[in-house]
């Protein structure tokens, strides 16, 4: 979700809030309390450390529950395979939400994207199509918007492009102000947005990303402090303000 610059700002904020962070290690064993082994008392980490605790929260990802269609004609990968109408490989069977591998417009491929607004959008598309109104899902992408100990963060799409040659990366980093902005471009179209501590223009940036707007003429402005609607070409502003892409 974040690269090392973004993570460092968050890590500092979380540590300042009194939280200990252990990286590069995972939980090996959960132990009961000495006086009552029905209650959690500590965890052993793979680095040999033992940490006392009263609660263990496991947050290691999402596995879709596909058992309903296992062994049927409905094709599966990690999730249920669907087309852009959310139709499965069986014509009258539709799938949407966490269980479906739907279109990611950033990666240009279908994949699992377990997010609530995407599940809602996909569910609507499935419903329309089941009712005979042919509708296509426009796609979604990874989106997170959180506040860590007072530090707001928005991360959308590709945060850390693996193939550096295929992407252009624009960065504004001010460690003193805990400010970090990173825009990842592919062929002058936004493929990734990371905003730490200055998230006000996330909506405008996401509009440009979702509508595959070519930002070549104004790309240097995307990470500037003053970036906003006023910096966009007039014709684009008109379209954005009238609400039609
Ligand atoms: C801890 C947590 C935090 C999250 N936070 C966020 C967040 O901040 N923002 C965000 O966008 N998303 C968040 N999500 C993800 C979001 O909750 C899901 O993307 C969304 O709920 C998906 O909706 P869904 O209808 O596809 O699946 P679900 O909400 O999981 O609903 C599926 C339902 O189907 C039922 N079911 C499964 N198998 C069967 C079966 N065989 N027969 C009958 N019923 C069955 C299940 O019991 C469940 O009720 C979070 C998820 C978790 C777990």
């Amino acid at each position: 979700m974040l690269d090392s610059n973004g993570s460092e700002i968050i890590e500092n904020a979380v540590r300042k809030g009194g939280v200990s962070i252990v990286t590069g290690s995972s939980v090996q064993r959960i132990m009961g309390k000495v006086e009552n082994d029905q209650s959690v008392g500590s965890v052993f980490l793979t680095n040999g450390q033992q940490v006392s605790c009263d609660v263990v929260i496991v947050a290691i990802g999402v596995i879709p529950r596909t058992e309903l269609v296992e062994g049927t004609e409905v094709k599966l990968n990690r999730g249920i395979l669907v087309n852009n109408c959310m139709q499965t490989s069986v014509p009258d069977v539709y799938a949407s939400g966490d269980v479906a591998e739907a279109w990611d417009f950033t990666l240009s491929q279908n994949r699992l994207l377990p997010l609530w607004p995407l599940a809602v959008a996909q569910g609507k598309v499935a419903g329309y199509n089941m009712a005979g109104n042919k509708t296509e899902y426009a796609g979604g992408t990874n989106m997170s918007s959180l506040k860590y100990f007072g530090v707001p963060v928005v991360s959308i799409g590709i945060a850390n492009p693996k193939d550096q040659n295929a992407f252009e990366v624009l960065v504004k980093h001010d460690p003193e102000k805990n400010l970090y902005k990173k825009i990842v471009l592919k062929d002058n179209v936004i493929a990734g947005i990371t905003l730490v501590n200055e998230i006000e223009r996330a909506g405008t940036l996401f509009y440009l990303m979702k509508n595959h707007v070519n930002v070549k003429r104004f790309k240097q402005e995307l990470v500037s402090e003053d970036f906003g609607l006023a910096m966009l070409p007039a014709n684009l502003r008109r379209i954005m303000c009238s609400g039609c892409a």
Side-chain angles (χ1 to χ4, degrees), residues 36-135:
N36 170 17
D37 69 1
Q38 297 302 301
S39 297
V40 172
S42 64
V43 290
F44 272 107
L45 306 183
T46 47
N47 66 5
Q49 206 180 336
Q50 183 176 7
V51 182
S52 300
C53 61
D54 298 313
V55 177
V56 174
I57 298 171
V58 180
I60 53 167
V62 179
I63 299 172
R65 286 183 55 184
T66 53
E67 65 268 24
L68 191 65
V69 294
E70 274 162 24
T72 71
E73 299 284 299
V74 174
K75 285 200 180 129
L76 288 170
N77 182 35
R78 287 185 62 212
I80 297 175
L81 300 183
V82 291
N83 61 20
N84 278 353
C85 295
M86 308 313 295
Q87 186 184 41
T88 69
S89 50
V90 176
D92 284 334
V93 180
Y94 291 77
S96 53
D98 285 8
V99 83
E101 291 196 12
W103 183 247
D104 181 326
F105 64 76
T106 308
L107 299 181
S108 296
Q109 66 183 52
N110 281 41
R111 67 176 186 124
L112 293 172
L113 271 169
L115 289 170
W116 189 83
L118 304 186
V120 172
Q122 293 165 18
K124 280 187 183 165
V125 170
Y128 281 132
N129 286 303
M130 289 162 85
N133 181 354
K134 189 158 186 325
T135 310

Side-chain angles (χ1 to χ4, degrees), residues 1-236:
M1 184 189 134
L2 291 173
D3 65 8
S4 53
N5 289 334
S7 303
E8 198 180 322
I9 295 174
I10 300 305
E11 192 175 330
N12 290 340
V14 173
R15 283 191 200 280
K16 247 191 212 163
V19 177
S20 305
I21 300 174
V22 180
T23 55
S25 190
S26 57
V27 174
Q28 198 168 43
R29 209 145 37 109
I30 300 174
M31 308 293 290
K33 283 194 173 28
V34 178
E35 66 282 9
N36 170 17
D37 69 1
Q38 297 302 301
S39 297
V40 172
S42 64
V43 290
F44 272 107
L45 306 183
T46 47
N47 66 5
Q49 206 180 336
Q50 183 176 7
V51 182
S52 300
C53 61
D54 298 313
V55 177
V56 174
I57 298 171
V58 180
I60 53 167
V62 179
I63 299 172
R65 286 183 55 184
T66 53
E67 65 268 24
L68 191 65
V69 294
E70 274 162 24
T72 71
E73 299 284 299
V74 174
K75 285 200 180 129
L76 288 170
N77 182 35
R78 287 185 62 212
I80 297 175
L81 300 183
V82 291
N83 61 20
N84 278 353
C85 295
M86 308 313 295
Q87 186 184 41
T88 69
S89 50
V90 176
D92 284 334
V93 180
Y94 291 77
S96 53
D98 285 8
V99 83
E101 291 196 12
W103 183 247
D104 181 326
F105 64 76
T106 308
L107 299 181
S108 296
Q109 66 183 52
N110 281 41
R111 67 176 186 124
L112 293 172
L113 271 169
L115 289 170
W116 189 83
L118 304 186
V120 172
Q122 293 165 18
K124 280 187 183 165
V125 170
Y128 281 132
N129 286 303
M130 289 162 85
N133 181 354
K134 189 158 186 325
T135 310
E136 294 207 352
Y137 175 56
T141 194
N142 249 342
M143 300 181 290
S144 301
S145 172
L146 307 130
K147 203 176 217 180
Y148 293 97
F149 289 80
V151 181
V153 177
V154 167
S155 168
I156 307 172
I158 300 170
N160 267 315
K162 287 197 180 77
D163 178 3
Q164 299 286 340
N165 296 326
F167 295 90
E168 183 181 359
V169 177
L170 309 169
V171 167
K172 183 177 176 200
H173 187 197
D174 184 342
E176 292 205 344
K177 290 186 183 159
N178 280 341
L179 186 88
Y180 187 56
K181 288 185 187 181
K182 177 176 177 179
I183 304 293
V184 177
L185 302 176
K186 184 158 197 298
D187 302 327
N188 290 310
V189 171
I190 298 177
I193 302 167
T194 301
L195 304 172
V196 180
N197 239 337
E198 203 176 277
I199 63 167
E200 290 75 15
R201 300 290 177 250
T204 307
L205 290 166
F206 184 58
Y207 176 95
L208 299 173
M209 179 181 188
K210 194 165 181 218
N211 290 289
H212 312 288
V213 174
N214 187 315
V215 297
K216 189 174 177 190
R217 275 192 294 160
F218 54 91
K219 63 183 169 188
Q220 291 308 331
E221 311 296 345
L222 297 174
V223 289
S224 84
E225 213 165 295
D226 314 322
F227 174 71
L229 270 182
M231 293 207 160
L232 302 178
N235 60 336
L236 182 58

